[in-house]
Amino acid sequence: DGGITQSPKYLFRKEGQNVTLSCEQNLNHDAMYWYRQDPGQGLRLIYYSQIVNDFQKGDIAEGYSVSREKKESFPLTVTSAQKNPTAFYLCATRGRLATYNEQFFGPGTRLTVL
Amino acid sequence: GQQLNQSPQSMFIQEGEDVSMNCTSSSIFNTWLWYKQDPGEGPVLLIALYKAGELTSNGRLTAQFGITRKDSFLNISASIPSDVGIYFCAGQLGYTGANSKLTFGKGITLSVRP
């Protein structure tokens, strides 16, 4: 079954704990992105990666970290430095660079920090 | 960061009616994308536009890339109950690097009365 997988769907953490959100894709897409969505808001870019072992900060990278050790995987860590971590997190991928502009989204992970 | 302008925040229409949504920007984009999001799910790509003035259809959906490259509209004809959801516009400058990131509007929540 092809596509983008995000797990888990719902995640609860205590304040002060780091948490890692998973994003896996089997589309063979080069670029991967992490967005954050808050109620009534559009999506805001956290980090993106165009190739393995390379990633760049987006508009709201503070308090987050990522890695891209494999083409298929782009995990996002929400650290204790993130002041308002409760949100809906969306991972997206894009096909071959310089060819396609469409980004496709995974099902999302809703993180709640208690 | 910049956001695209989508208004109103909510729209209520009768089943069978047509509806049009507009998206504007203070700066130009070279790609416009329209997404639909159901509650608790990731956005699904509806239409992608690549050329100023381009008019593209996808079933009952029609979207246009504004000639100034600063706006786009989406039209839904003969609405049905499953059209309910949040509709986002997104703009993109280019294929690679920071230009590849999507800038989103806040979305329009569409309700369809049977």
Side-chain angles (χ1 to χ4, degrees):
Chain A
D1 191 24
I4 305 166
T5 304
Q6 290 188 245
S7 61
K9 181 70 174 175
Y10 300 96
L11 192 54
F12 297 88
R13 280 294 181 269
K14 291 183 178 179
E15 194 172 338
Q17 289 182 333
N18 291 354
V19 60
T20 298
L21 281 60
S22 166
C23 179
E24 303 280 331
Q25 55 106 354
N26 61 6
L27 302 169
N28 199 34
H29 282 180
D30 291 319
M32 298 184 74
Y33 304 79
W34 274 106
Y35 292 88
R36 170 185 172 133
Q37 185 176 29
D38 294 286
Q41 300 294 317
L43 282 67
R44 293 182 291 168
L45 182 66
I46 305 172
Y47 267 98
Y48 65 98
S49 168
Q50 297 186 102
I51 56 172
V52 174
N53 292 323
D54 182 69
F55 49 83
Q56 304 296 328
K57 292 182 179 180
D59 298 321
I60 56 165
E62 185 176 351
Y64 300 98
S65 65
V66 295
S67 62
R68 186 89 185 273
E69 297 177 359
K70 299 185 299 182
K71 188 175 185 177
E72 303 79 21
S73 179
F74 191 41
L76 173 74
T77 297
V78 185
T79 75
S80 57
Q82 168 51 232
K83 299 304 179 190
N84 296 295
T86 295
F88 191 45
Y89 290 88
L90 289 156
C91 176
T93 71
R94 186 166 65 92
R96 185 177 302 174
L97 300 182
T99 304
Y100 301 108
N101 267 350
E102 296 100 339
Q103 290 186 24
F104 300 94
F105 286 84
T109 292
R110 184 166 300 280
L111 172 65
T112 302
V113 175
L114 306 171
Chain B
Q2 181 191 9
Q3 271 195 323
L4 302 180
N5 300 310
Q6 287 186 267
S7 65
Q9 193 172 0
S10 302
M11 300 181 78
F12 299 86
I13 61 173
Q14 199 76 30
E15 183 177 357
E17 288 182 343
D18 298 348
V19 62
S20 187
M21 305 176 189
N22 200 40
C23 183
T24 61
S25 170
S26 58
S27 55
I28 65 170
F29 289 101
N30 293 313
T31 299
W32 285 87
L33 305 168
W34 284 91
Y35 290 88
K36 176 178 182 276
Q37 185 179 31
D38 292 328
E41 301 295 329
V44 174
L45 182 65
L46 299 174
I47 290 181
L49 301 158
Y50 290 104
K51 191 175 177 182
E54 177 184 358
L55 187 71
T56 297
S57 293
N58 179 9
R60 293 179 296 106
L61 307 178
T62 301
Q64 185 158 29
F65 190 144
I67 199 72
T68 65
R69 293 194 286 163
K70 291 184 178 181
D71 65 338
S72 176
F73 79 77
L74 174 72
N75 188 72
I76 304 173
S77 63
S79 59
I80 59 178
S82 62
D83 289 334
V84 166
I86 306 174
Y87 290 80
F88 290 99
C89 62
Q92 190 173 38
L93 272 175
Y95 293 118
T96 59
N99 287 340
S100 72
K101 73 171 191 177
L102 293 178
T103 298
F104 282 86
K106 290 188 176 183
I108 293 175
T109 299
L110 180 66
S111 298
V112 179
R113 290 187 290 259

